[in-house]
Amino acid sequence: MALVIVHATMTLDGLIADADGGVDWMFGRPSAPEDDTHVDNVIQNIGAVVGGANRTQTIEDGEIPYGGMLKVPVYLMTHTEHEPIERDGVTYTFVVDDIARAVEDAKAAAGDKWVSLLGGSISRQCLLLGLVDELHLDVAPVLLGEGISLFAGLGQRIELERVETSAFASETHLRYRVLTHSQDAL
């Protein structure tokens, strides 16, 4: 059965993008072979992606999950109906206002691999619904001071168990299992 993960590269102050949505701070740091091995492992284990659709329900070059390295089904949350889009061998399916269904469809597509949740809003919604099994966080050694937070506004305490920690040249890689979902804490 598929494992549902929040996968994000974030700053030490918990941001996933700068105030304008930019992520150029993620690039240009020296890396070690172990960093590349970590990234390769993540890429090889992802079987489907759930994220948010843009306002125009198009697939722009800068919005392709994992820069196009993955050829897996992508489920995009939206508020209006839209036919699936096929681009570069990837099917983008739009799911209207039912994130639990998007995750279930992604799990079915992923088989025994991971479902990667992308974006702060998607991640928080899935955490609050008890749909997340693990957090996979790659922490870059930078403080932005302001920007888009991964967990701001979660509004619930969620207990975690550390599964793995590693640090190499470019980032610290953290993996946590979700112990209590927000609905369990109610």
Side-chain angles (χ1 to χ4, degrees):
M1 185 159 112
L3 192 70
V4 178
I5 67 168
V6 171
H7 182 238
T9 298
M10 60 192 289
T11 63
L12 191 57
D13 51 351
L15 304 176
I16 56 174
D18 65 24
D20 296 323
V23 294
D24 60 341
W25 52 268
M26 287 185 192
F27 308 104
R29 288 187 176 73
S31 67
E34 294 89 350
D35 288 307
D36 297 333
T37 299
H38 174 81
V39 170
D40 290 343
N41 181 54
V42 170
I43 295 300
Q44 290 174 10
N45 280 295
I46 293 174
V49 172
V50 176
N54 66 23
R55 287 182 176 84
T56 59
Q57 294 180 318
T58 56
I59 310 302
E60 304 297 326
D61 284 338
E63 299 169 338
I64 297 174
Y66 296 93
M69 291 189 296
L70 288 175
K71 301 298 182 197
V72 300
V74 177
Y75 297 85
L76 299 173
M77 296 307 305
T78 185
H79 296 295
T80 57
E81 292 285 336
H82 194 286
E83 290 298 313
I85 294 175
E86 177 88 20
R87 180 173 173 178
D88 298 327
V90 175
T91 300
Y92 296 84
T93 302
F94 296 85
V95 180
V96 179
D97 296 330
D98 189 348
I99 199 161
R101 189 184 114 226
V103 169
E104 283 306 310
D105 290 351
K107 286 173 71 172
D112 290 335
K113 292 192 168 197
W114 299 340
V115 172
S116 178
L117 305 175
L118 298 180
S121 177
I122 297 297
S123 297
R124 289 187 300 272
Q125 289 176 63
C126 288
L127 278 164
L128 291 173
L129 290 171
L131 302 175
V132 178
D133 298 304
E134 291 186 357
L135 307 179
H136 294 216
L137 307 173
D138 301 317
V139 182
V142 61
L143 299 169
L144 292 181
E146 65 179 354
I148 299 170
S149 172
L150 181 57
F151 297 117
L154 184 60
Q156 294 284 334
R157 176 180 170 165
I158 297 176
E159 294 290 331
L160 307 171
E161 174 187 27
R162 185 176 55 84
V163 174
E164 182 179 2
T165 303
S166 59
F168 307 109
S170 65
E171 298 172 337
T172 300
H173 310 287
L174 307 170
R175 184 173 172 186
Y176 294 96
R177 181 176 298 113
V178 176
L179 293 179
T180 58
H181 295 91
S182 63
Q183 61 198 26
D184 298 336
L186 297 177

